Amino acid sequence: MTMMSGAQMLVRTLEDLGVEHLFGYPGGAVLDIFDALLQSRQIERVICRHEQGAAHMADGYARVSGRVGCCLVTSGPGATNTVTAIATAYMDSIPMVVITGQVGTPLIGSDAFQEVDTVGITRPIVKHSYLCQNALDIPKFIREAFYLAASGRPGPVVVDVPKDCVNPKNLFEYPPMTEVRMRSYNPTRLGHRGQVRRAAKLLADAKHPVVLIGGGVVLSGAAKKVRTLVEKFNLPITSTLMGLGAFPGTDRHFLGMLGMHGTYEANEAMDKSDLVFAVGVRFDDRITNTVSKFCPAAKIIHIDVDPASISKTVMADLPIVGDADAVLGQFFDAIEEQNLTCNTAAMDEWWTQIEKWRAVKCLSYKTNDELIKPQQVIEAVYKATGGKAVIATDVGQHQMFTALYYPFDEPRKFLTSGGLGTMGYGFPAAIGAKVAAPDACVCLITGDGSFQMNIQELSTCLEFNVPVKIFILDNHTLGMVRQWQTMFYGGRISSTNLNYNPDFVAVAKAYGHEGIFVEKPSELEAAVEKALSMKDKLVIVDILCDTNEKVLPMQQFGGAMGDMFLAD
Amino acid sequence: MRHIVSILSENQNGALSRVVGLFSQRGYNIETITAGPTEDPSISRITIVTDSDGVEIERITKQIHKLINVVKVSILDENEDGAVEREILFIKVQAMTRQVRDELKSLCDIFKAQIVDVTPELYILQYVSTTAEVNRFLQVVSELADVIETVRSGVCGIARGEHALHV
Ligand SMILES: Cc1ncc(C[n+]2csc(CCOP(=O)(O)OP(=O)(O)O)c2C)c(N)n1
Ligand SMILES: [Mg+2]
């Protein structure tokens, strides 16, 4: 029998759950836990410079590896600093466990030093949360937290640990690991068989079907089955921002991303479709444009593990609750049972129509010898990485350009804050990704605004040797906001100029890294290649870009899917 | 339309606040809410009355069900055999004159309400009934006497017939 303190049980539980990396930051309430961590040979600590960074790192780690990301921060400000990152993970359904220190139980409610109601503050942005009342709650709650974070529709779980629960003086018998069971939580895996059969028939009979995939396909590991289905029925397929990579972006069936900044062909195909086969999406407002005008002729088949996502905004004609991978497996059975085959004539006709929309070439843009266009940067990074890199982005124009001009062929390669749109997400997420996949080429494509929201993590990268490559699309503006001011506010530029940026190359060097500045289009490719060739170095490539470039096409407000502003 | 939502939840720290928080977070309205223990000490039961249309009540049910602590959710008024619902009203009224006292007494007899506290100047009346009846009673009493204070328990309800909500 091993007797352990609460802090030791916490560490041991993480070890038993297979945790190898813990992101975090110390403080008074977690002193005992950090002390116990010194004894762990399995868990490597990555210490951020701001707790938002630690939690985004855990998020990036989870997105790339598919495992639960974990971070540990102190009470009060440590916990509140993670709030944005928890909300980010919540919106994108990322499995993450955030362990927060808390003041001792006798002090709770007394406005003690560094006391905040962490469970209360985070309640609307977590899948679930726990406040430990005693030391033996720690192993129980952390095991449940990992199980909840990863199963069903994944999401962040907070475990708040009061200081007296980890007191090294009080020893307990460590409870052996057992399978987690909760009577109040039983996510559905398999879909309703009858529904699946009907849906398969609808799909085979459709004349203008479109497959729509989202982050759920990535999370459930259903990419392969989606591909088989698409090829079997020769289906056009589009994806949300979160689903990019779950179907090969370079495959001819792929129409590109849909929605506000989607491609013309994807949005037109949706608009004219007679069947939308949606898997792991939640039809948010960046996808649907005006809900009442959304895909007027289409029947909607909606497969999702979260019943609350079905018919939340767009009413599903045929809902199927279940895990995407499991349900698609059932589809193949249903297809075989009913002998369903591709309606070749109808699909040929449909593809002829789609190719006409494609011929518009909505992503073409003009270059010149003077100024680098942001799209060129993405294409240069694509070329230099062979399309194989893990790419994290921040939020803004550079994010949309990445989504549109870097076709991802595999899932878990594209890390971006889709639901919350968190500037400052990208850099720490890239760090988490590189920690999870040290052999992968991990790049951050960021903006001059966003990068400054978590720039302090440059120091973390030096300490823990995390050589990510950073490409700043430096347009001297909060470009996406400026774009709206230009298009919808009569060109009145209000507070979006960034004329006081630091010298990013000097910043890189000050933090002990490498930096390259580029301003001529002719120097771009060489600079990108040079940065990538410095394998063991973090390199910032500060790329001066055209301030006035817009992300186009763009859906018109109040319109249908296909109503778009196109580039001239 | 008015609906009565019955929820069985694990009797855990913060379970009630998650349910209440969900309603405000998603913009659903709560007319009344009650909570208490059940025959199983590990389970508590929450009853919420909400005014929502058909699509919305389905969304509410799904969102509540998604809460990890929640074991079961049911819309009582959708039960085929119907449901029994009651709330308690306490009303403190001025009862200074003989005439008012007599009228209050006979009113209570008609409604099957009770006078549960008496001082030389005040009565406390207790009335148990459906929300609609409670409203009516309140109306009539307030026409008769000066109301000092009212308190209502909120609705609690149970399905009629075979249907039962338990773990
Ligand atoms: C934390 C946060 N604050 C504000 C915003 C609103 N916002 C969206 S895009 C954007 C501009 C981003 O600028 P930059 O990072 O330079 O990217 P660009 O659009 O120029 O490529 C802003 C301010 C946000 N998404 N996140
Ligand atoms: Mg910018």
Side-chain angles (χ1 to χ4, degrees), chain A residues 212-219 238-244 246 279-282:
Chain A
L212 164 60
I213 56 169
V217 172
V218 177
L219 293 165
T238 179
S239 172
T240 68
L241 183 71
M242 295 309 300
L244 291 177
V279 194
V281 300
R282 57 187 179 85

Side-chain angles (χ1 to χ4, degrees), chain A residues 12 26 40 63 79 106 153 220 313 345 446 455 522 541 544:
Chain A
R12 175 65 185 278
S40 175
R63 290 192 205 220
R153 179 176 178 181
S220 99
T313 56
T446 185
I455 197 166
S522 58
V541 189
L544 197 68

Side-chain angles (χ1 to χ4, degrees), chain B residues 1-8 32 34 45-50 57 61 64 72-86 155-166:
Chain B
M1 208 187 124
R2 179 175 174 273
H3 294 286
I4 306 173
V5 187
S6 281
I7 302 161
L8 293 186
T32 74
T34 67
R45 179 156 173 158
I46 303 166
T47 307
I48 293 179
V49 174
T50 177
I57 194 67
T61 313
I64 296 172
K72 283 202 173 143
V73 189
S74 135
I75 308 296
L76 274 193
D77 43 277
E78 285 174 0
N79 181 40
E80 292 163 17
D81 300 327
V84 183
E85 54 156 300
R86 293 289 182 273
V155 172
C156 95
I158 189 165
R160 290 182 192 275
E162 303 269 288
H163 184 88
L165 196 61
H166 54 67

